Amino acid sequence: MKIRTFAIGYILALALFLFAQHRPDAAETSGFRGVVDLTHTINAQVPTYELAAKPAYRVKTVATIDKDGYFAREISLPEHFGTHLDAPAHFVQGMWTVDQIPAERLIAPLAVIDVSANVKGNADYQISVEDIAAWEHVHGQIPLNSVVMTRTGWDSRWNSVKDYRNADSKGVMHFPGYSEDAAHFLVEGRKVLGIGIDTLSIDYGPSKDFPVHQYDLRHSVYQLENVANLDHAPASGGIVTVAPMKLEGGSGAPVRILALVR
Ligand SMILES: [Zn+2]
């Protein structure tokens, strides 16, 4: 019996080996041509919404290969740091914390709206329903249960905290965000699962009461902020995977966002 089990196991292993040898290109089998990483790399230079006295991101090497035989570090950072996800619990008590967002909401069709031309000359630009209508005129209706991201072009400022925050002499920041009407249309009219942007906040820089945050999160729609590389993502037809760190009780978390390109 044991010999027979062994023989079957051996044949299976051999079959798998041969199959692997003749496996066609992985991209072909998955049906995707490529992957676009929509995530900024985390480091100490990451711009933050609030200006803190001490560095928001701290990293300490706790083991080295020379000394310990392996390399490891300890990190400390805010939940809302770098490319990150806002969970509904960020603004509304009793709503999903980041670990509670159902996994099936984290993979979705991706629509990328480009308003970078409108942002030139108006840092306080607010994405409008007209911008969404213009996208739909070209690409058709945004599929229900999508994740919608807007490219404002702001990520070209990522390497300068000053330019990315773009605060005036009174400390008021100026960067683009979503208008309330656009958010209402996406959430109610297109049933989006998540909304993303390549700036520090879904609400535009001067906002004091964050109406889009209040609205989206109350409707169980998660938000993705400081999204990267949207100029490389397809405007339509892509699939996005949104993989936040699964922090129990978290108001949000750093997130790895990948766009799969068909
Ligand atoms: Zn946030």
Side-chain angles (χ1 to χ4, degrees):
M1 189 63 193
K2 267 189 188 154
I3 288 170
R4 207 175 142 219
T5 310
F6 173 79
I8 290 168
Y10 177 77
I11 289 162
L12 272 176
L14 187 66
L16 279 173
F17 175 74
L18 290 172
F19 177 72
Q21 296 287 298
H22 296 104
R23 198 175 52 147
D25 192 285
E28 269 176 52
T29 37
S30 70
F32 293 104
R33 282 190 293 117
V35 180
V36 182
D37 193 342
L38 303 182
T39 320
H40 285 294
T41 302
I42 288 179
N43 59 38
Q45 285 77 49
V46 164
T48 51
Y49 194 89
E50 264 107 25
L51 280 181
K54 60 179 182 179
Y57 175 66
R58 277 159 286 155
V59 56
K60 192 172 97 186
T61 299
V62 294
T64 64
I65 292 174
D66 277 350
K67 238 170 77 196
D68 309 285
Y70 64 97
F71 171 51
R73 309 186 306 169
E74 268 177 17
I75 60 166
S76 163
L77 76 175
E79 290 177 329
H80 301 262
F81 189 79
T83 305
H84 70 272
L85 178 146
D86 289 354
H90 186 33
F91 270 63
V92 191
Q93 269 186 1
M95 301 290 284
W96 288 325
T97 51
V98 66
D99 53 313
Q100 291 171 334
I101 298 171
E104 59 267 25
R105 297 177 81 91
L106 300 176
I107 298 186
L110 172 65
V112 179
I113 298 169
D114 191 330
V115 301
S116 55
N118 301 343
V119 170
K120 284 195 183 115
N122 182 8
D124 291 336
Y125 187 76
Q126 291 185 274
I127 297 138
S128 66
V129 174
E130 288 72 31
D131 292 324
I132 301 165
W135 187 97
E136 292 196 339
H137 186 69
V138 177
H139 302 285
Q141 189 177 307
I142 294 171
L144 298 179
N145 301 312
S146 294
V147 169
V148 171
M149 309 258 201
T150 298
R151 174 180 181 246
T152 71
W154 215 250
D155 82 334
S156 65
R157 298 168 177 242
W158 181 251
N159 292 322
S160 163
V161 172
K162 186 171 170 287
D163 292 347
Y164 197 77
R165 297 183 79 260
N166 199 31
D168 62 23
S169 57
K170 295 193 179 83
V172 176
M173 290 186 283
H174 297 278
F175 55 76
Y178 284 84
S179 68
E180 286 182 68
D181 284 349
H184 291 188
F185 179 76
L186 290 172
V187 172
E188 273 155 48
R190 297 296 177 260
K191 309 286 179 213
V192 295
L193 302 178
I195 292 178
I197 195 164
D198 55 357
T199 68
L200 275 169
S201 174
I202 288 286
D203 282 281
Y204 80 139
S207 179
K208 288 196 170 69
D209 47 359
F210 311 109
V212 180
H213 274 74
Q214 299 279 4
Y215 175 81
D216 286 349
L217 300 174
R218 195 170 295 283
H219 286 80
S220 303
V221 171
Y222 58 78
Q223 302 180 156
L224 303 164
E225 294 168 330
N226 299 325
V227 176
N229 301 324
L230 285 171
D231 51 335
H232 292 109
S236 73
I239 295 287
V240 69
T241 73
V242 175
M245 194 184 282
K246 197 174 179 182
L247 297 170
E248 189 169 282
S251 70
V255 63
R256 191 72 183 260
I257 309 173
L258 302 173
L260 309 178
V261 186
R262 288 187 212 271

